[in-house]
Amino acid sequence: DRLTPAARNVVRQASVLGFEFPLSMLAAVSTSEQSLDPALDELRAKDFLHDVTGLPEPAFRFRHALIQEATYQGMLGTERRSLHGRAAWALEAGSADRLDEVAAVLGRHFAAAGEQDRALRYLEMAGDHATSAFANDEAISSYRAALAVARDQPGSTADLRVELLAKVANVLWRT
C-alpha cells in the first residue's frame, strides 16, 4: 500500500512472470510508456525485489515467494490473462530459435491467457522435449497440463486426449 502507483504496477506485472524473471520479460509485459528504472529502484529499496547476479542479462527475484503469490492472487482475472498473454507472445517472439527449451513456460502462459490451441501445442512440445531428455517428472507434468487444457477446450477431439494419455503412459512405463 505504501508503494507509488508506478512501483505497484511494476510489481503486479512482475508477479505474472514468476518468482524470478529477466528485465527483458518485464519490459515486454509492461504496459507503461515510462522507464521501469525508478519503480525497480523503489522495489529494491523497499526490499520487494533483489538483483540476480551471474546471468547474461539483468534479472530480479522476489524477496520471498509469498510476496509474488500474494501480489498475483490480488489481481483480477482479466488483468492476469492479459499479462500472461503479453508474456507469452513476447517470449515466443524472443525465443524463436529455442522454442523447445521454453515450451513449458510458453504453455503455462498461453493456458493462463486462455489461448488453448497454443497452450496445447507448447505443453505437448515441452512433454516431448522432456521425454527425449529423460526428464520424466517434467514430461508427465507437461502432458498432464496439456490434458487439462484439452479437457477444457470445447473443440478438442478424443484422439488428441488419447494421444496425450498414451504419451503419459509411455513415460510412466519407462519409469
Side-chain angles (χ1 to χ4, degrees), residues 11-169:
V11 78
R12 291 165 66 86
Q13 294 165 351
S15 73
V16 170
L17 300 174
F19 178 67
E20 187 174 306
F21 53 92
L23 178 59
S24 60
M25 281 302 297
L26 181 60
V29 170
S30 178
T31 56
S32 175
E33 297 292 321
Q34 300 173 346
S35 171
L36 296 173
D37 292 336
L40 289 170
D41 290 341
E42 179 181 350
L43 291 169
R44 284 188 294 236
K46 293 191 176 177
D47 205 28
F48 277 79
L49 298 177
H50 294 172
D51 292 307
V52 176
T53 58
L55 296 177
E57 68 174 300
F60 301 94
R61 173 183 299 133
F62 279 90
R63 178 176 53 94
H64 198 285
L66 292 177
I67 294 171
Q68 183 264 333
E69 185 65 26
T71 304
Y72 182 79
Q73 293 300 328
M75 287 191 297
L76 295 175
T78 54
E79 183 181 10
R80 275 197 302 249
R81 275 191 299 282
S82 172
L83 290 172
H84 276 292
R86 291 174 66 90
W89 287 105
L91 183 59
E92 184 181 52
S95 305
D97 58 336
R98 56 186 186 93
L99 286 176
D100 56 339
E101 295 173 21
V102 296
V105 176
L106 281 168
R108 284 192 297 274
H109 278 304
F110 276 123
E115 303 223 15
Q116 266 66 358
D117 291 336
R118 288 185 108 69
L120 269 171
R121 181 175 129 214
Y122 285 116
L123 288 169
E124 186 175 7
M125 182 188 297
D128 294 345
H129 182 69
T131 298
S132 68
F134 294 96
N136 298 321
D137 291 338
E138 291 176 34
I140 291 168
S141 176
S142 293
Y143 289 139
R144 285 185 175 160
L147 277 165
V149 170
R151 260 186 241 116
D152 295 341
Q153 187 178 24
S156 130
T157 64
D159 291 343
L160 172 64
R161 291 190 299 273
V162 167
E163 181 183 332
L164 289 169
L165 283 169
K167 288 182 177 192
V168 170

